[in-house]
Amino acid sequence: MTMSKESGPAAEIAIEIRELHKYFGKLEVLKGIDFTVNRGEVVCVIGPSGSGKSTLLRCVNLLEEPTSGKIFVSGNEVTDPNANIDKIRRSIGMVFQQFNLFPHLSVLNNLTIAQRRVLHRSKAAAEKVALQNLEIVGLADKVHAYPAQLSGGQQQRAAIARSLSMGPDLMLFDEPTSALDPELVGDVLAVMRKLATDGMTMMVVTHEMSFARDVADRVIFMDGGVVVEQGQPADVLGNPQHERTKTFLSRVLNPTAVTAPESAD
């Protein structure tokens, strides 16, 4: 497991969330979230469906607009109405559950289109960056392939390479393996492990407990729109203090141990 990077007064804050609330109509999905992610830290957010994990992640780059509260990314307030959100987003890589590749473009063109249009790189410069990142994710031989010719795991790795090609300061992952067949999960997680080892700041919503245990510096358990418990993986996953965390982990780690309801005669 990587060493924790959150200790020490000189730690540089990459993401800061203050008293974050989010309503969808009358439903309060986030109920006053507070926490920070330090530069170079890997934070895994776990919890049951409907706990607000993905909404929280999407609020960080304003894909969902918070109802109230403040969010800072690298010292810039994302929630400031006068913020240049497009500029801030350029420093944030986002990887979704679905791969969102352009089906009519080759892998290479999927990686270069935003570089050329947003960062105004030349074709040669954009292709050089794309090829470097395809090498990192193990897809150097798929440069001219189209998304339909790739497996789900390969598409997700291409999506990660696309985000990396924009030169982000930090990466957000929204359950990046949930849409994959089980045998394809390992290749995607291996790429994410390498990014963590190389020092990328990462906030990962995941149900992959082994990844959280081995790679995260900190694990955050959410339920009902609040942070129930957080700490080092060995503490949260190995010795949880809150009953709700214990119940969740027992069901996730030992699904066959859950008692089935008795059928009525």
Side-chain angles (χ1 to χ4, degrees):
M1 186 182 70
T2 55
M3 295 296 292
S4 175
K5 310 172 188 76
E6 64 174 309
S7 60
E12 182 183 353
I13 295 175
I15 302 170
E16 182 177 4
I17 298 171
R18 301 179 187 171
E19 196 60 26
L20 182 65
H21 292 261
K22 174 63 180 178
Y23 283 84
F24 289 109
K26 295 183 179 180
L27 178 63
E28 188 176 18
V29 178
L30 299 177
K31 303 174 181 178
I33 302 292
D34 290 283
F35 72 86
T36 61
V37 178
N38 289 319
R39 183 73 58 196
E41 189 179 17
V42 179
V43 174
C44 285
V45 184
I46 64 172
S49 297
S51 60
K53 308 183 303 295
S54 292
T55 300
L56 171 64
L57 199 73
R58 292 169 65 86
C59 282
V60 171
N61 61 359
L62 228 61
L63 291 178
E64 292 289 354
E65 187 171 348
T67 303
S68 64
K70 293 185 177 183
I71 300 173
F72 298 83
V73 175
S74 300
N76 300 301
E77 186 184 347
V78 177
T79 44
D80 183 342
N82 297 316
N84 186 340
I85 189 61
D86 291 332
K87 182 178 180 181
I88 294 172
R89 280 181 179 148
R90 290 174 200 168
S91 68
I92 306 172
M94 181 86 182
V95 178
F96 301 88
Q97 297 178 34
Q98 301 300 325
F99 323 124
N100 297 332
L101 298 172
F102 293 112
H104 64 291
L105 296 180
S106 69
V107 169
L108 180 63
N109 287 335
N110 263 283
L111 267 65
T112 58
I113 186 170
Q115 292 187 66
R116 298 182 67 185
R117 293 187 178 182
V118 178
L119 302 181
H120 306 295
R121 287 176 179 158
S122 67
K123 179 181 179 181
E127 289 185 351
K128 180 179 180 181
V129 171
L131 292 172
Q132 289 172 342
N133 286 306
L134 287 172
E135 185 75 35
I136 289 172
V137 302
L139 291 177
D141 60 337
K142 301 296 183 181
V143 173
H144 301 297
Y146 285 80
Q149 298 172 310
L150 304 178
S151 70
Q154 289 171 331
Q155 290 187 59
Q156 190 62 294
R157 283 187 280 150
I160 293 173
R162 178 181 57 187
S163 290
L164 290 174
S165 294
M166 299 298 286
D169 294 327
L170 58 96
M171 295 278 287
L172 308 177
F173 293 85
D174 187 7
E175 300 200 29
T177 61
S178 64
L180 302 179
D181 291 334
E183 69 268 22
L184 303 178
V185 169
D187 291 339
V188 173
L189 293 181
V191 170
M192 294 171 64
R193 286 172 189 264
K194 176 173 173 48
L195 294 179
T197 301
D198 291 344
M200 176 62 75
T201 305
M202 297 164 60
M203 185 173 168
V204 185
V205 171
T206 185
H207 57 272
E208 299 290 345
M209 296 300 130
S210 60
F211 177 85
R213 181 185 295 110
D214 297 341
V215 179
D217 296 296
R218 186 156 40 107
V219 172
I220 292 175
F221 173 67
M222 287 184 63
D223 188 38
V226 300
V227 173
V228 176
E229 187 167 354
Q230 64 175 304
Q232 294 186 354
D235 296 327
V236 176
L237 301 179
N239 186 30
Q241 300 301 302
H242 291 262
E243 196 60 38
R244 183 65 187 96
T245 315
K246 295 177 183 178
T247 302
F248 171 78
L249 290 172
S250 67
R251 291 178 175 177
V252 170
L253 299 176
N254 301 291
T256 60
V258 178
T259 304
E262 295 182 4
S263 58
D265 292 332

